[in-house]
Amino acid sequence: MRRKIVAGNWKMNGSLAENGALLKEVVAGSSGLSGVVCCSPYPYLFQLQRELQGTHVAWGAQNLSQFERGAYTGEVSAAMLVDFGCSYVIIGHSERRAIFGETSMTVAEKFKAAQDSGLIPILCLGETLAEREAGITEAVVGEQFDAVAGLAGIDAFEQAVIAYEPVWAIGTGRTATPQQAQDVHRHLRDRIALMSPDVAGKVPILYGGSVKPANAAELFAMPDIDGGLIGGASLVARDFCEICRAAA
Ligand code: PGA
């Protein structure tokens, strides 16, 4: 059995006051579960460390620099995330690729920087609507995956998580059907199996894109879907906890 993970991606939301309430409710509402993760904006990582240390909930960031240290104004290094107790970091989210111009090569470098510091990368892959309609979904996610596997090596995925997030399903209320998601997850796992059957059997592949309490259970019931990366619904403690329970 692969471990199940449900990770909240808060994106650029929250405040000290809002987070304080949310974290308390998430800890209480998901007690007894494993694989629960919250990923906050950088400035609040100290708050997650303070509130979540010693609980069953892990935490992480949503990005990091591919560089180790030095003259990179505005950037945050892997070691800094480790300083604040992060276990995870989201890498290559489609918003970073589309809005901030991250290429597959940058994403691969960030993945490697994260792992070199002992963080578990949550590597996001996904196609746009135009790419899906053009029938090139597998080629797109394949290229995104191969760039990382090429730089970091396939064995790196022993200590990593993949999140398949179709861009057209993110924040749109339009979820991939369980079968659409399963098909891409299967394709990814088959692709990994060509390089390492062992890693393919172990690496958790999460689905992300408008996961809600109402659709989580049927998505997570698919054989190659190992949990979710949750945006909007991770800001509502009751919804997030219900989604976590659906994965258990
Ligand atoms: P969403 O976002 O759940 O709001 O669609 C998912 C994500 O972007 O990780």
Side-chain angles (χ1 to χ4, degrees):
M1 268 288 276
R2 280 183 297 275
R3 63 203 170 100
K4 301 269 192 198
I5 296 170
V6 176
N9 173 12
W10 293 3
K11 308 197 180 184
M12 199 173 74
N13 293 293
S15 66
L16 282 176
E18 287 169 9
N19 307 343
L22 177 60
L23 291 168
K24 280 193 174 57
E25 287 179 57
V26 166
V27 170
S30 66
S31 71
L33 301 179
S34 59
V36 180
V37 184
C38 292
C39 296
S40 77
Y42 294 135
Y44 299 122
L45 290 172
F46 85 94
Q47 189 183 17
L48 273 67
Q49 185 175 36
R50 194 181 63 200
E51 300 291 329
L52 298 178
Q53 194 122 61
T55 75
H56 63 286
V57 179
W59 64 98
Q62 303 166 14
N63 182 29
L64 87 179
S65 172
Q66 65 271 46
F67 303 113
E68 239 178 87
R69 64 157 58 227
Y72 302 104
T73 302
E75 291 292 283
V76 171
S77 72
M80 294 172 189
L81 302 186
V82 172
D83 253 353
F84 285 89
C86 291
S87 310
Y88 292 87
V89 57
I90 298 171
I91 308 272
H93 189 280
S94 64
E95 287 152 15
R96 299 231 41 100
R97 295 179 193 257
I99 305 171
F100 301 101
E102 288 189 13
T103 63
S104 289
M105 194 33 73
T106 318
V107 169
E109 288 167 359
K110 290 185 174 198
F111 180 101
K112 200 161 178 316
Q115 272 200 331
D116 288 348
S117 290
L119 294 162
I120 300 174
I122 301 176
L123 172 66
C124 300
L125 315 170
E127 82 288 3
T128 63
L129 185 58
E131 289 163 343
R132 173 160 285 263
E133 287 173 346
I136 56 170
T137 296
E138 293 183 356
V140 169
V141 299
E143 181 277 327
Q144 292 170 342
F145 177 80
D146 288 354
V148 177
L151 186 74
I154 195 64
D155 291 340
F157 284 86
E158 294 249 14
Q159 295 297 331
V161 176
I162 297 172
Y164 168 58
E165 298 205 306
V167 177
W168 46 273
I170 294 177
T172 57
R174 184 175 164 193
T175 322
T177 65
Q179 192 57 53
Q180 279 176 321
Q182 165 62 23
D183 288 348
V184 179
H185 285 227
R186 184 74 243 167
H187 169 75
L188 281 166
R189 210 177 294 284
D190 287 346
R191 196 178 189 100
I192 296 166
L194 294 175
M195 301 176 230
S196 167
D198 186 46
V199 172
K202 283 188 198 153
V203 62
I205 307 182
L206 316 184
Y207 168 78
S210 297
V211 178
K212 305 283 181 245
N215 58 27
E218 54 174 5
L219 285 159
F220 300 163
M222 301 309 278
D224 289 293
I225 302 184
D226 306 311
L229 182 56
I230 317 299
S234 73
L235 299 170
V236 181
R238 185 203 300 246
D239 287 357
F240 184 61
C241 293
E242 206 172 320
I243 293 168
C244 292
R245 273 194 298 276

